Amino acid sequence: MTDFEYLSVLISIVLGLGITNILGGLGAIVRNRHRTKLYAPLVTTLVLMFVVHVQTWWTMFGLRGIREWNILEFFVVLMQPTILYLASSMLVPDFSEAGEIDLRAQYHRERRWFFGTMFALICLSLVRPVVLSGRLTAIPDLIGHGVFLIAIAAGLATDSDRVHKFVSGFMLVFFIAYIATLFVQLN
């Protein structure tokens, strides 16, 4: 077993927990639809988070060429799925309460923490290649990160439903385009 294979097990477990949490949340929304007041930005953002988890797992394969790892490198790589898990766990609705579940209220209650965590995730994503290879990522990837930071700042700055409907839809569409542009082939 290579170092990468050994280390990727823990990374895959954390990503798997995040995916399980997101899919469980989406399933709970469907199961509790009779008492749930839907809110499109929350559902759209959960779908986005699922795609981000899958893309993160996909890109981790690109790290297989690193033959020797140190604890700092592994920690930086492991923190990305860890922060991603934490961000998505803030979005998954809480159905433990009796009565109607207002997804809008739950989303906005956690909005600052979610977008703050996503901001940290993007910053960590920018730091990771510097720690692993000593240089920043390519310009198209940097532009993508900048666009995400602007969208995250908008989500963090306001509780406007209009803004959050736009930001959630925009981020999902932009992220899919980002993947299609930069990560179609498994490296």
Side-chain angles (χ1 to χ4, degrees), residues 45 47 58 66-67 71 75 80 87-88 98-99 101 107 126 144 161:
T45 306
V47 171
W58 179 265
I66 299 174
R67 297 291 175 223
I71 190 68
F75 184 74
Q80 196 167 355
S88 64
I101 304 297
Y107 174 89
L126 289 167
D161 286 334

Side-chain angles (χ1 to χ4, degrees), residues 3-184:
D3 290 353
F4 172 76
E5 290 168 339
Y6 176 76
L7 298 174
S8 69
V9 171
L10 183 56
I11 292 165
S12 296
I13 289 169
V14 174
L15 287 168
L17 287 170
I19 290 170
T20 300
N21 192 38
I22 292 165
L23 294 178
L26 289 168
I29 290 170
V30 172
R31 282 190 316 278
N32 290 281
R33 65 190 173 278
H34 62 281
R35 67 184 189 114
T36 301
K37 189 174 174 185
L38 287 177
Y39 186 61
L42 186 138
V43 175
T44 303
T45 306
L46 280 173
V47 171
L48 168 67
M49 294 306 289
F50 173 79
V51 175
V52 174
H53 273 79
V54 172
Q55 186 269 345
T56 300
W57 179 77
W58 179 265
T59 60
M60 290 295 169
F61 188 69
L63 302 177
R64 74 191 179 290
I66 299 174
R67 297 291 175 223
E68 293 182 26
W69 287 82
N70 65 46
I71 190 68
L72 175 63
E73 293 166 339
F74 178 63
F75 184 74
V76 168
V77 170
L78 179 61
M79 286 312 297
Q80 196 167 355
T82 302
I83 292 172
L84 188 57
Y85 171 84
L86 291 173
S88 64
S89 70
M90 292 173 203
L91 281 179
V92 173
D94 179 12
F95 287 99
S96 64
E97 302 168 10
E100 184 179 76
I101 304 297
D102 184 353
L103 295 185
R104 182 190 182 284
Q106 287 192 19
Y107 174 89
H108 284 287
R109 183 184 67 225
E110 304 300 336
R111 168 181 67 80
R112 286 191 179 105
W113 281 97
F114 170 74
F115 284 104
T117 305
M118 290 300 291
F119 183 85
L121 179 69
I122 297 297
C123 291
L124 183 63
S125 181
L126 289 167
V127 167
R128 187 183 76 169
V130 174
V131 169
L132 294 177
S133 67
R135 61 182 182 275
L136 286 171
T137 188
I139 296 295
D141 196 30
L142 287 174
I143 292 169
H145 281 76
V147 170
F148 289 123
L149 284 173
I150 291 167
I152 288 166
L156 191 57
T158 183
D159 63 353
S160 164
D161 286 334
R162 233 187 228 158
V163 170
H164 284 275
K165 286 176 183 175
F166 175 78
V167 165
S168 63
F170 172 79
M171 284 181 67
L172 179 58
V173 171
F174 185 79
F175 195 72
I176 291 169
Y178 171 81
I179 292 169
T181 303
L182 299 176
F183 300 104
V184 173

